């Protein structure tokens, strides 16, 4: 199931906002995949794109040094989840 508010896959209740009105996930729904660090996100996005996977990222936290986000939430379409997991594993090892 899928929470439209948080773009999260959930099992009955959304773990982020507690939403219980979840709907069936669609293949083209952008779902939260994971959070990566600033130095990982570019590499990850480029690799996904070169594999034909559309990707969206959202910055989180701001570094006092660079004034850029320190972490990025990565969203990919549900239908690309398996492939994304594979690519993540190849690039960064096992997902936590
Ligand atoms: Zn939610």
């Amino acid at each position: 199931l899928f929470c439209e508010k948080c773009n999260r896959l959930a099992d009955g209740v959304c773990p982020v906002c507690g939403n219980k009105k979840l709907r069936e996930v669609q293949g083209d729904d952008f779902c939260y995949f994971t959070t990566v660090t600033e130095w990982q996100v570019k590499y990850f996005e480029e690799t996904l794109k070169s594999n034909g996977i559309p990707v969206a990222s959202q910055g989180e936290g701001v570094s006092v040094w660079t004034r850029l986000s320190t972490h990025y939430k990565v969203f990919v379409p549900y239908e690309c989840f398996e492939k994304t997991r594979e690519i993540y594993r190849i690039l960064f090892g096992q997902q936590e």
Side-chain angles (χ1 to χ4, degrees):
L1 295 172
F2 179 71
C3 177
E4 278 180 316
K5 271 194 245 170
C6 313
N7 289 80
R8 283 262 183 175
L9 288 173
D11 213 17
V13 182
C14 174
V16 181
C17 70
N19 184 8
K20 287 177 190 169
K21 288 180 194 159
L22 306 174
R23 63 165 171 81
E24 288 289 330
V25 64
Q26 307 290 319
D28 59 353
D29 281 332
F30 272 82
C31 297
Y32 171 76
F33 176 69
T34 191
T35 300
V36 294
T37 58
E38 183 227 327
W39 61 270
Q40 289 175 317
V41 73
K42 252 196 150 161
Y43 190 37
F44 195 29
E45 278 187 340
E46 271 168 26
T47 312
L48 289 174
K49 280 178 192 162
S50 69
N51 280 275
I53 299 174
V55 55
S57 62
Q58 186 182 26
E60 249 195 350
V62 177
S63 158
V64 279
W65 307 108
T66 61
R67 298 185 183 276
L68 294 170
S69 296
T70 51
H71 287 80
Y72 287 82
K73 287 181 178 173
V74 177
F75 301 85
V76 296
Y78 181 66
E79 60 198 353
C80 301
F81 243 59
E82 277 307 307
K83 195 104 195 275
T84 304
R85 260 196 208 110
E86 234 171 76
I87 291 167
Y88 185 95
R89 213 159 29 223
I90 293 163
L91 292 181
F92 308 121
Q94 203 62 248
Q95 194 185 347
E96 284 159 38

